[in-house]
Amino acid sequence: MTVGLKTWECLPSTDSAESSTNSNSAPNLAELAPTKSSENFNNLLNNIEPIASSTSSSSSINDNSHSHNISALKKHLKAPAKSGRNHAGAKYLASQYTSVKRAFEISSLSVSIPLMFLNLYFLLFYFDIRKWYFIFPAAICGILTADFLSGIVHWAADSYGSVEMFLVGKNLLRNFREHHIDPTAITRHDFVETNGDNFAVIIPALGYIAFKFMYNSVEQIMLDYNWLMYLFLLSVFVTMTNQFHKWSHTYFGLPRYITILQDMHIILPRIHHRVHHVTPHDTYFCITTGWLNYPLEKIKFWSSMENMIFKLSGIKPRSDDMKWALKTE
């Protein structure tokens, strides 16, 4: 999907399917071929030539058709995967998940989760029933802020930088490059790998909230309570963003209440997020709830930002993303 007037030429899609040039020709077995890793399909390939040769002697037309299909089938099996876990780029990027990164994610969870419970205790302790009406607006504002921030981070990481960049390349951008080549990789990540980075970024905010509760006077706490409630709920929705994102790619085994929340568009719906995964991945970047995707698209927010950056720096968006998508070895 291309939205708005782009300053640069559109890059060719790597997802487009080849169309048949002869509608009367025999079906192409390559198009019907299952995943390359299928053992049964490999067995079929090993046995198809003798079967074809024994049945094609009655007609030269049949012989040519079988020969064409067998050749196409072998060519398909040898061709590099265009996407998915067998894609060369996806394999390499997945292999760059290190024990150091894992340790960082575990440390982030170990710090942020206790801070969340500590702040929740303070919020409940100082809660004034006369301010009950503020909780819902604070939650809505927290969701909208988290959704917008998820869009900004997602757009920036998708569109700019490279995996070779110091520190952030393999620790942050790598995930985004892998995700476009192998969108279901996130469904194979455990809770730590899925959410570790998000829990890391909220530690400063949670630390600030805890400091306010522990060192301010009661009077000052009551004055700041609404602001602290908003920050806390924002932090909660930030931590849940990638989990919502993971569920939007999960089509089997989700609890019923999750699919109901998706269908009601309270959290990121599956069909809604599919819009982003159409090459060249240039729209619908908000992934907490996706509420802001349509209005931001309507005002051409992302394309305007990209045009401005291109005019100022000459940098095209998603050039590194396309490089990994085209990787074959």
Side-chain angles (χ1 to χ4, degrees):
M1 174 179 290
T2 304
V3 180
L5 181 62
K6 300 296 184 184
T7 310
W8 52 91
E9 293 182 358
C10 293
L11 294 170
S13 170
T14 59
D15 295 339
S16 61
E18 295 181 359
S19 60
S20 175
T21 57
N22 184 357
S23 59
N24 296 323
S25 62
N28 190 341
L29 292 181
E31 297 175 359
L32 307 177
T35 307
K36 296 180 186 180
S37 59
S38 171
E39 183 179 350
N40 292 334
F41 189 65
N42 289 335
N43 291 336
L44 171 64
L45 178 64
N46 293 333
N47 293 290
I48 196 169
E49 273 191 277
I51 295 173
S53 60
S54 64
T55 58
S56 61
S57 57
S58 60
S59 171
S60 61
I61 297 177
N62 286 341
D63 184 63
N64 290 336
S65 175
H66 281 294
S67 177
H68 168 74
N69 284 335
I70 293 168
S71 299
L73 192 56
K74 288 183 175 180
K75 182 178 179 181
H76 171 79
L77 289 175
K78 292 178 181 178
K82 291 184 178 180
S83 62
R85 65 199 304 179
N86 291 323
H87 185 282
K91 286 181 177 179
Y92 175 80
L93 292 167
S95 71
Q96 298 305 297
Y97 180 67
T98 65
S99 58
V100 174
K101 180 69 162 62
R102 180 76 174 183
F104 169 78
E105 292 167 345
I106 294 173
S107 300
S108 299
L109 290 165
S110 301
V111 173
S112 56
I113 290 176
L115 279 173
M116 290 183 73
F117 280 104
L118 177 64
N119 288 326
L120 178 61
Y121 164 78
F122 283 131
L123 286 167
L124 293 175
F125 183 82
Y126 288 104
F127 178 68
D128 186 345
I129 192 64
R130 292 171 295 182
K131 294 186 177 181
W132 64 269
Y133 59 87
F134 183 77
I135 295 177
F136 182 73
I140 295 298
C141 289
I143 290 172
L144 290 174
T145 308
D147 203 36
F148 181 69
L149 291 176
S150 75
I152 291 291
V153 173
H154 189 182
W155 165 76
D158 269 6
S159 305
Y160 301 101
S162 71
V163 177
E164 289 75 29
M165 287 180 66
F166 174 70
L167 196 60
V168 298
K170 290 186 178 180
N171 290 313
L172 177 64
L173 302 183
R174 174 190 66 84
N175 299 332
F176 291 86
R177 302 295 177 269
E178 179 191 11
H179 184 59
H180 283 174
I181 305 170
D182 184 9
T184 60
I186 192 173
T187 66
R188 301 189 293 274
H189 297 169
D190 63 7
F191 183 85
V192 173
E193 187 175 357
T194 300
N195 301 293
D197 289 338
N198 289 52
F199 275 85
V201 300
I202 65 163
I203 290 175
L206 293 177
Y208 169 80
I209 298 170
F211 176 85
K212 286 285 191 179
F213 276 122
M214 289 189 290
Y215 294 101
N216 281 1
S217 64
V218 175
E219 292 77 12
Q220 188 61 47
I221 289 173
M222 299 312 295
L223 288 173
D224 295 339
Y225 186 87
N226 291 348
W227 164 245
L228 297 176
M229 172 70 80
Y230 161 74
L231 275 183
F232 177 76
L233 292 174
L234 169 60
S235 299
V236 170
F237 291 118
V238 167
T239 62
M240 293 300 296
T241 291
N242 225 27
Q243 189 63 50
F244 294 161
H245 182 205
K246 176 179 179 177
W247 287 335
S248 75
H249 286 281
T250 305
Y251 286 84
F252 303 99
L254 284 178
R256 179 60 180 154
Y257 73 91
I258 298 297
T259 59
I260 290 174
L261 291 175
Q262 289 176 330
D263 293 341
M264 295 175 66
H265 205 157
I266 295 175
I267 63 176
L268 185 67
R270 290 173 288 192
I271 193 168
H272 176 93
H273 185 55
R274 280 188 213 161
V275 176
H276 173 71
H277 281 274
V278 176
T279 302
H281 312 285
D282 61 353
T283 186
Y284 276 42
F285 292 100
C286 300
I287 55 173
T288 302
T289 59
W291 293 354
L292 294 179
N293 280 324
Y294 181 75
L296 290 175
E297 200 58 50
K298 201 69 176 174
I299 64 174
K300 301 179 180 178
F301 180 80
W302 306 115
S303 57
S304 298
M305 293 281 285
E306 290 169 4
N307 281 332
M308 180 181 66
I309 291 173
F310 179 74
K311 289 175 181 178
L312 293 174
S313 66
I315 299 175
K316 294 181 180 180
R318 291 171 291 280
S319 57
D320 187 65
D321 195 50
M322 185 61 67
K323 181 188 78 172
W324 286 100
L326 298 174
K327 186 177 176 63
T328 58
E329 57 182 19

